[in-house]
Amino acid sequence: MTAPAKLQRLFGLEGQVALVTGAATGIGKAIARLLADAGACLVIADKDVAGAETVSGEIEGAMPAGFDLVDDASIDSLIATIEDRFGRLDIIVNNAAIFPKYKFDELTAGQWHEMQQVNVWGCFVVMRAAAQLMRKGGRGGAIITVSSVGALRTAVHDQIAYNASKAAIDSMTISAAYDLAPDNIRVNSIQLGAVSALDPKPHSPHHVPPTGPLTAPGRILLGRPALPDEVAGPVLMLTSAAGAYITGQAIVVDGGFFIS
């Protein structure tokens, strides 16, 4: 087997259908582009329907879809639409989330519950619906959740609610890997550190720059935030044949911050 053919066998996604949530911008958009480059047929899902349509227009054969993580019915409708359109689902990248910062002494019950509703319950509902469609196909599948190194240690101030939600996602990843392994559905997460913006935009007048260990000089051992494509690469590995024996793992992608 030639080297290109071997690489195609390991990393190619031809014939597979991949759903990426929160793919209208940023990390999700970069992941969607790379999975499409590997041959997958993409579903670009986002609360921002116009943004999803714009990204889909840049990726041949991609389907835009609107959905809302706080609306279980919209998630079920999204998966039903994928089944009607493609008859299968092989990959789901749970990337959509919210990440506002709340000061410890000012965090309200409403803010806490919104964070967990969107980042944890919404992620679970997507995972559950996707896994049910994967089971129908009988071909197995790959589920990736986008987490944060903040689930392991504090990286940025004022993120106690966010960090708790990401720690829950990582625990959920392990449990789902146990439950779905008999169906050959692999479940993993990637724990991100600082990531550069894919499409930089001016900050609003009310923007408060993040502070904390992640922003301290020398704490990122590789010396800079990740590029979005450097986040997409590990996702491709975990969703392709190259990662076929990996499940129940939370993989740190942070340029060495965690060990510094």
Side-chain angles (χ1 to χ4, degrees):
M1 183 181 294
T2 64
K6 185 174 183 180
L7 288 173
Q8 182 64 27
R9 181 180 63 82
L10 283 173
F11 294 102
L13 299 175
E14 286 76 8
Q16 299 192 48
V17 177
L19 165 63
V20 182
T21 69
T25 58
I27 293 168
K29 181 178 176 179
I31 291 170
R33 285 174 170 175
L34 184 59
L35 298 186
D37 287 344
C41 186
L42 264 293
V43 179
I44 307 298
D46 206 288
K47 187 176 181 179
D48 175 7
V49 180
E53 290 174 345
T54 297
V55 174
S56 296
E58 300 169 356
I59 300 174
E60 184 177 356
M63 182 187 90
F67 88 117
D68 191 337
L69 281 173
V70 301
D71 182 352
D72 293 6
S74 80
I75 295 171
D76 291 337
S77 177
L78 169 63
I79 300 302
T81 299
I82 293 171
E83 183 174 18
D84 290 343
R85 170 82 175 265
F86 301 104
R88 63 187 291 168
L89 180 60
D90 305 282
I91 296 164
I92 163 69
V93 181
N94 252 325
N95 168 68
I98 59 173
F99 43 90
K101 296 191 288 293
Y102 301 120
K103 292 187 178 299
F104 181 89
D105 291 325
E106 299 172 7
L107 177 64
T108 68
Q111 292 166 339
W112 175 273
H113 290 304
E114 180 188 33
M115 188 80 76
Q116 312 316 315
Q117 171 75 20
V118 174
N119 290 2
V120 183
W121 177 252
C123 176
F124 167 71
V125 175
V126 173
M127 180 185 294
R128 179 176 61 187
Q132 289 168 348
L133 181 51
M134 289 174 179
R135 280 184 174 133
K136 276 188 181 181
R139 292 176 295 271
I143 298 174
I144 311 298
T145 54
V146 177
S147 182
S148 168
V149 73
L152 301 172
R153 65 169 48 174
T154 298
V156 177
H157 293 141
D158 303 327
Q159 287 198 319
I160 186 168
Y162 175 79
N163 290 345
S165 75
K166 291 304 184 178
I169 282 175
D170 291 332
S171 179
M172 186 167 66
T173 294
I174 296 169
S175 296
Y178 269 101
D179 292 342
L180 299 177
D183 298 292
N184 194 33
I185 298 173
R186 299 179 296 103
V187 189
N188 296 286
S189 67
I190 56 170
Q191 297 170 321
L192 306 184
V195 182
S196 298
L198 180 61
D199 302 305
K201 296 179 177 63
H203 291 305
S204 75
H206 306 292
H207 173 71
V208 178
T211 61
L214 188 62
T215 66
R219 288 301 303 273
I220 300 175
L221 297 186
L222 295 185
R224 58 172 176 80
L227 301 173
D229 283 346
E230 293 171 325
V231 171
V235 173
L236 174 59
M237 185 271 290
L238 289 170
T239 57
S240 67
Y245 203 59
I246 303 173
T247 195
Q249 301 302 308
I251 297 177
V252 178
V253 184
D254 71 347
F257 165 76
F258 179 71
I259 64 170
S260 70

